[in-house]
Amino acid sequence: MKAIRRFTVRPVLPEPLRPLSDLARNLRWSWHPETRDLFQAVAPEEWQRCGGDPVRLLGNVSAERLTELAEDRRFLRRLTAAADDLHDYLAGRRWYQTAPQAELPAAIAYFSPEFGITAALPQYSGGLGILAGDHLKAASDLGVPMIGVGLLYRHGYFRQSLSREGWQQEHYPVLDPNELPLELLREGDGTPAQVAIALPAGRRLRSYVWQARVGRVPLLLLDSDVEENAPGERDVTDRLYGGGSEHRLLQEMLLGIGGVRAVRTYCRLTGHPEPEVFHTNEGHAGFLGLERIRELTGAGGLEFDGALETVRAGTVFTTHTPVPAGIDRFDRELVARHFGDDGELPGVDVERVLALGMETYPQGEPNLFNMAVMGLRLAQRANGVSTLHGQVSREMFAGLWPGFDPEEVPIISVTNGVHAPTWVAPEVFRLGARQIGAGRTEDALSVGDSRRWSAVAEIPDAAVWDLRRVLREQLVEEVRRRLRDSWRQRGAGAAELGWIDGALDPDVLTIGFARRVPSYKRLTLMLRDRDRLMDLLLHPERPIQIVVAGKAHPADDSGKRLVQDLVRFADDPRVRHRIVFLPDYGMAMAQKLYPGCDVWLNNPLRPLEACGTSGMKAALNGCLNLSVLDGWWDEWYEPDFGWSIPTADGSAIDEHRRDELEAGALYDLLEARVAPRFYDRDATGIPQRWVEMVRQTLVTLGPKVLAGRMVREYVERLYAPAARAQRVLTPEVAGELARWKARVRAAWPQVTVDHVETGVPTAPANGSAELGATLALRVRVALGDLLPDDVEVQVVSGRVDESDRITDATTIALKPTGGPDLEGRRLYEGPLALDRTGSFGYTVRILPAHPLLTHPADLGLLAVPSESTSEAAGVLMR
């Protein structure tokens, strides 16, 4: 008979064991080996059955075992040491506390639709969530006062299995928050705290707020499974990235608007400092800006435009997608229906809300509301997640700043990093600890002190190679276990599974490939020439073996076909001992997969990989990268520690031909360079050149790929400037800035560059000039109702290409001379030094100027000479 409801009956911990509860409820255990070892000692077999989840462990361990442990002095000493260590970690001064506090925000609120903290809290689907989880962990390690905000999905993301035919199947387990490392946020009287957002027709979407403790960082997760909600509203947070457009819109309204209200509730109940900076990780949480505008136009007393300026000053927006198709976009009417007097933000003109997200640029869709566009318009500071992705993002969103070259679009880059204590295998950590000390190793992994990492160079070759063999052997054991489970789920009997005992070989070059399965990541590029791949797998002297994992989105049948193609190839009895597909890729699998591989393969379509952090995690364990120059690998690749897969770039090439060429390049690398280097051994059996590449990977890449480095960059380049800007914008100043912008926008149509000339004595003759010469520029401009203090007139110069486009530009401000002439025009003058050889050109432009503007393109306004005004497009120099 099936139960209609399930719950866990937990034993009461004896008094001496009460600290176990605090240790289990703080997710620091997920990256602290000593705490995990302590829980494993509670009940080793149960620990394995619980998947390394302390909360489940404490719910399942017998009362007799707890009584026994309460009298075990050795265990109690370990428990006291772990509890004291956690207390010191939570209370001690860390990097953030040693910095000048006047420059730093009192707190930062970090919003993301998913968070990958640990497999015990399955609230993630892929790289975006893992990055968000690593961001919070690194913030905790550095002492950054951050509050994470997300949604609690009662079904999480789907679990993946395979049919007998290799077709992906999805399962959605029900998650009980009471069985997760979470606690309800409660009011002073003990009742659960709630936040709510307004829906059309007088309905309300209510939400509980669950709290996870990520070290020092609270993570607030909103849960719509509230009894007072109607059935449709209860299901809003049912699953990650599920449902239709309105379902997704409600999720994102709850995340953004409800998330700000949850932060306010949390700070009220706990005394936590209110955030000065709000960071939205992708556009999913973009509505948080609208809620903050509502706060400021209500009790704050500001007009909409003044509130918008204040919100922009304190908001950071990170974009992760390199293609428009990856951005959430909603029908204009759907958004309009949920705002205004019959929904959220009553009293605010719905058109003002819609204007923030509409694609008003030439290539945009006029009736779609774009969440990334709203994110950029509501944030004064924005970034991509690698240097290349920043460039791609500036080009993709250039339409929001018409007239400006892509390189001037105000989107910077902060390259992602990964949380080393989470992803570095314990064996790797112990080897480092033996070399430089446990404390120094922990600091190197958390903070990224390159001086600590350089000590890796002194680890003997034999120790490095022995470690790699141990990790590979552990992976082989893990793969065989998972492979056996997968085949049983596919319906295979015991008599069919004997071959699994010989699947993979701990002495064979092992390549890993694991990620989500959209088409651009090209899961099956390796299958392009199956005969050649078979030759590589079965080479008599230098074989390779490949471990593959990945999930296709449930609605992506083309992705599922890619999975099936790979599985069918891996099922072939001729090669199934050399290539395997492991279903249900997640954090638990990844933590075994990254350390055990010798090479990490990544072959996306360039430049569609925004960053691609899986290769970073592999690198931290001494795994070498073999990748297309995309994302972070484009930025940091060196031949000393990996290989670059050549790409057939260019829009003219047929996609099938492109895949054929790049697959051929991949096979060539594996056959001629990767495998020979792995199998080229010295007299002691050590591949010295390979080990040196492993060492260079750790010494050179190690400090760069850390989430600690990433979070420090966010603090210094984005959070601290945002906090300073936020503090400057008092209500009076914000109102003044908004009025100034409105005045400039109204007057801008009358702003023109009327005449440009160069002084006769230094003008170039015959279109050429000598290096070191100086042009005396005189520019007449019309400013309409604006004053010289409202603008800056600039000369932009640099080398020019064949189409007279200025590259490598330098800008110099020209100075006004005297008052307006009889026609109201003003004269600006200044020198232009010809300081570089080759084809050289210049132009003149007018920009709005105000002390509180953070970027010349802030308003998206620009005036340049017309063709009849411009004196010359380029100057040839000798």
Side-chain angles (χ1 to χ4, degrees):
M1 185 175 294
K2 189 174 182 180
I4 62 171
R5 186 180 177 189
R6 67 185 295 271
F7 51 88
T8 299
V9 180
R10 303 186 186 281
V12 177
L13 290 176
E15 186 62 33
L17 301 183
R18 291 294 173 86
L20 282 174
S21 179
D22 292 334
L23 289 170
R25 291 289 175 178
N26 193 307
L27 293 173
R28 189 204 179 206
W29 62 258
S30 67
W31 71 91
H32 191 247
E34 289 83 356
T35 305
R36 291 200 303 273
D37 291 345
L38 178 72
F39 279 112
Q40 184 174 13
V42 169
E45 292 184 2
E46 190 61 42
W47 174 254
Q48 295 300 321
R49 280 194 292 270
C50 292
D53 179 351
V55 173
R56 288 178 59 195
L57 173 74
L58 295 182
N60 293 344
V61 69
S62 69
E64 292 77 14
R65 175 58 177 161
L66 293 176
T67 300
E68 179 183 337
L69 288 172
E71 298 173 355
D72 185 334
R73 292 183 179 180
R74 185 163 176 258
F75 181 84
L76 294 178
R77 283 196 298 271
R78 292 178 64 188
L79 175 57
T80 299
D84 289 346
D85 184 79
L86 178 61
H87 176 270
D88 292 344
Y89 175 85
L90 298 177
R93 286 169 57 83
R94 306 190 76 80
W95 172 81
Y96 197 85
Q97 286 69 44
T98 64
Q101 293 301 295
E103 295 292 315
L104 300 176
I108 303 104
Y110 180 91
F111 287 64
S112 178
E114 50 175 303
F115 286 91
I117 309 293
T118 167
L121 187 62
Q123 300 293 306
Y124 61 92
S125 71
L128 180 71
I130 301 300
L131 181 278
D134 283 5
H135 198 107
L136 296 194
K137 294 174 188 176
S140 175
D141 290 342
L142 294 170
V144 179
M146 186 170 285
I147 303 172
V149 184
L151 300 179
L152 178 66
Y153 305 97
R154 288 299 183 111
H155 296 279
Y157 200 50
F158 72 91
R159 302 293 303 272
Q160 178 197 46
S161 63
L162 300 172
S163 72
R164 185 73 187 210
E165 295 73 32
W167 188 254
Q168 173 178 294
Q169 298 176 319
E170 298 92 28
H171 314 275
Y172 291 90
V174 178
L175 301 175
D176 181 352
N178 295 292
E179 296 181 344
L180 299 174
L182 300 171
E183 295 174 317
L184 264 180
L185 184 64
R186 295 184 181 275
E187 296 287 350
D189 61 2
T191 59
Q194 287 191 18
V195 297
I197 64 173
L199 300 180
R203 296 176 293 129
R204 291 176 70 77
L205 172 58
R206 300 168 181 83
S207 171
Y208 291 133
V209 181
W210 294 87
Q211 177 188 349
R213 301 174 188 171
V214 186
R216 300 165 70 113
V217 174
L219 170 59
L220 309 179
L221 299 174
L222 281 71
D223 171 19
S224 69
D225 191 12
V226 177
E227 190 170 344
E228 296 93 324
N229 281 336
E233 281 76 65
R234 291 188 74 162
D235 288 340
V236 165
T237 56
D238 57 350
R239 61 186 61 176
L240 182 58
Y241 302 141
S245 290
E246 184 164 18
H247 187 268
R248 291 286 292 276
L249 177 64
L250 290 177
Q251 283 189 341
E252 299 188 3
M253 288 179 66
L254 182 61
L255 174 60
I257 297 171
V260 173
R261 293 172 186 173
V263 168
R264 304 302 188 204
T265 302
Y266 176 81
C267 292
R268 170 176 59 83
L269 293 173
T270 65
H272 192 286
E274 291 280 356
E276 292 184 277
V277 175
F278 287 75
H279 183 177
T280 173
N281 189 36
E282 256 307 341
H284 306 282
F287 289 122
L288 71 83
L290 295 180
E291 168 62 8
R292 294 179 60 217
I293 288 174
R294 183 199 64 79
E295 292 177 331
L296 293 167
T297 55
L302 280 170
E303 298 293 330
F304 185 95
D305 289 330
L308 174 60
E309 295 303 326
T310 302
V311 167
R312 290 186 70 248
T315 302
V316 173
F317 172 70
T318 298
T319 175
H320 290 262
T321 179
V323 290
I327 297 169
D328 274 351
R329 301 153 89 199
F330 298 105
D331 182 79
R332 179 185 188 279
E333 296 304 318
L334 176 64
V335 177
R337 193 162 65 245
H338 285 81
F339 286 93
D341 292 337
D342 193 35
E344 273 298 336
L345 272 66
V348 175
D349 185 355
V350 172
E351 292 301 321
R352 298 300 307 268
V353 174
L354 294 174
L356 292 169
M358 302 308 292
E359 300 179 354
T360 53
Y361 38 87
Q363 66 272 33
E365 294 283 345
N367 292 314
L368 289 180
F369 186 93
N370 185 309
M371 294 297 290
V373 166
M374 178 177 65
L376 289 165
R377 286 178 173 150
L378 283 172
Q380 199 171 67
R381 290 165 179 81
N383 70 284
V385 292
S386 68
T387 298
L388 179 60
H389 179 239
Q391 174 187 328
V392 169
S393 298
R394 287 188 287 275
E395 294 172 354
M396 186 166 72
F397 293 110
L400 294 174
W401 292 271
F404 290 89
D405 291 337
E407 55 266 26
E408 293 185 288
V409 167
I411 301 175
I412 67 167
S413 298
V414 177
T415 302
N416 283 344
V418 298
H419 186 246
T422 296
W423 300 108
V424 171
E427 294 81 4
V428 177
F429 181 90
R430 286 195 289 269
L431 180 61
R434 286 199 300 270
Q435 184 69 27
I436 62 175
R440 291 182 174 183
T441 301
E442 188 169 349
D443 288 343
L445 293 179
S446 298
V447 180
D449 186 340
S450 58
R451 294 170 298 177
R452 310 280 196 221
W453 284 89
S454 63
V456 172
E458 301 171 11
I459 299 175
D461 288 358
V464 174
W465 186 238
D466 288 346
L467 172 66
R468 294 300 316 149
R469 212 279 182 181
V470 167
L471 295 173
R472 200 181 311 115
E473 191 170 42
Q474 290 179 357
L475 175 61
V476 169
E477 293 174 0
E478 179 76 4
V479 166
R480 290 174 181 173
R481 182 184 67 79
R482 288 180 176 272
L483 201 57
R484 186 171 283 103
D485 290 345
S486 174
W487 274 88
R488 284 173 176 162
Q489 287 181 337
R490 295 173 69 182
E496 300 177 73
L497 303 182
W499 64 272
I500 290 179
D501 291 333
L504 303 192
D505 183 328
D507 291 313
V508 167
L509 171 61
T510 304
I511 299 172
F513 183 102
R515 50 193 38 87
R516 290 184 304 110
V517 191
S519 59
Y520 78 87
K521 291 183 183 284
R522 297 193 295 186
L523 171 74
T524 56
L525 185 70
M526 65 182 75
L527 302 183
R528 193 73 186 178
D529 185 337
R530 300 184 183 216
D531 291 338
R532 193 167 179 190
L533 177 59
M534 278 194 175
D535 290 343
L536 288 165
L537 295 169
L538 303 176
H539 194 284
E541 297 173 355
R542 298 191 300 272
I544 67 171
Q545 57 194 14
I546 307 176
V547 182
V548 185
K551 293 179 177 180
H553 188 280
D556 181 10
D557 281 352
S558 63
K560 292 180 183 180
R561 280 191 288 273
L562 295 178
V563 170
Q564 187 177 46
D565 286 347
L566 196 291
V567 171
R568 285 177 169 173
F569 180 83
D571 284 351
D572 188 326
R574 293 174 294 175
V575 295
R576 64 187 180 186
H577 65 298
R578 287 281 189 262
I579 181 169
V580 298
F581 181 89
L582 301 180
D584 208 29
Y585 179 50
M587 290 187 72
M589 182 193 297
Q591 286 170 321
K592 293 287 188 182
L593 186 55
Y594 297 134
C597 291
D598 300 296
V599 173
W600 195 256
L601 174 62
N602 189 30
N603 47 230
L605 286 173
R606 188 180 190 273
L608 301 185
E609 184 83 276
C611 184
T613 56
S614 62
M616 295 180 173
K617 298 160 194 163
L620 284 172
N621 288 281
C623 178
L624 308 183
N625 275 269
L626 169 61
S627 175
V628 165
L629 287 179
D630 202 1
W632 75 276
W633 192 237
D634 177 76
E635 190 171 338
W636 290 329
Y637 159 73
E638 292 179 19
D640 290 343
F641 48 70
W643 297 272
S644 161
I645 302 172
T647 54
D649 295 332
S651 58
I653 192 167
D654 173 77
E655 65 179 67
H656 297 291
R657 176 61 176 160
R658 176 205 61 213
D659 286 354
E660 184 178 299
L661 290 171
E662 294 185 12
L666 170 60
Y667 299 138
D668 289 344
L669 279 170
L670 289 170
E671 185 176 65
R673 297 176 61 187
V674 180
R677 182 157 296 190
F678 181 85
Y679 288 105
D680 182 16
R681 311 290 169 86
D682 65 12
T684 64
I686 297 174
Q688 289 186 337
R689 295 174 68 202
W690 186 277
V691 169
E692 183 56 30
M693 291 183 75
V694 171
R695 188 177 282 111
Q696 286 299 319
T697 292
L698 294 170
V699 171
T700 307
L701 280 181
K704 293 181 179 180
V705 302
L706 298 182
R709 183 272 312 156
M710 172 188 71
V711 171
R712 289 201 316 274
E713 280 197 48
Y714 273 106
V715 169
E716 293 162 354
R717 300 177 62 195
L718 293 165
Y719 297 160
R724 291 194 294 270
Q726 175 84 20
R727 292 165 189 168
V728 168
L729 283 183
T730 63
E732 294 77 13
V733 173
E736 185 279 328
L737 179 60
R739 290 188 291 273
W740 177 83
K741 285 188 174 183
R743 179 168 62 84
V744 169
R745 289 190 177 101
W748 202 255
Q750 285 74 51
V751 176
T752 59
V753 179
D754 288 348
H755 184 71
V756 180
E757 64 181 51
T758 55
V760 175
T762 56
N766 301 321
S768 65
E770 299 289 344
L771 178 67
T774 299
L775 303 183
L777 294 180
R778 294 166 56 87
V779 181
R780 290 195 180 277
V781 303
L783 300 182
D785 294 332
L786 300 182
L787 300 173
D789 285 347
D790 294 324
V791 301
E792 183 172 284
V793 180
Q794 298 177 341
V795 56
V796 183
S797 63
R799 290 189 177 88
V800 293
D801 59 20
E802 294 179 354
S803 61
D804 286 342
R805 180 182 175 86
I806 297 173
T807 61
D808 192 23
T810 299
T811 60
I812 299 173
L814 302 177
K815 295 182 179 180
T817 59
D821 62 16
L822 294 177
E823 297 178 355
R825 298 181 303 175
R826 294 180 181 271
L827 179 64
Y828 283 74
E829 295 181 342
L832 173 60
L834 306 182
D835 57 359
R836 64 194 89 178
T837 58
S839 297
F840 185 91
Y842 73 90
T843 189
V844 174
R845 67 184 185 183
I846 308 172
L847 302 171
H850 190 283
L852 294 180
L853 294 185
T854 59
H855 194 280
D858 199 349
L859 272 73
L861 299 175
L862 181 74
V864 296
S866 63
E867 290 188 10
S868 60
T869 303
S870 181
E871 191 175 69
V875 178
L876 179 66
M877 295 182 57
R878 299 193 296 275

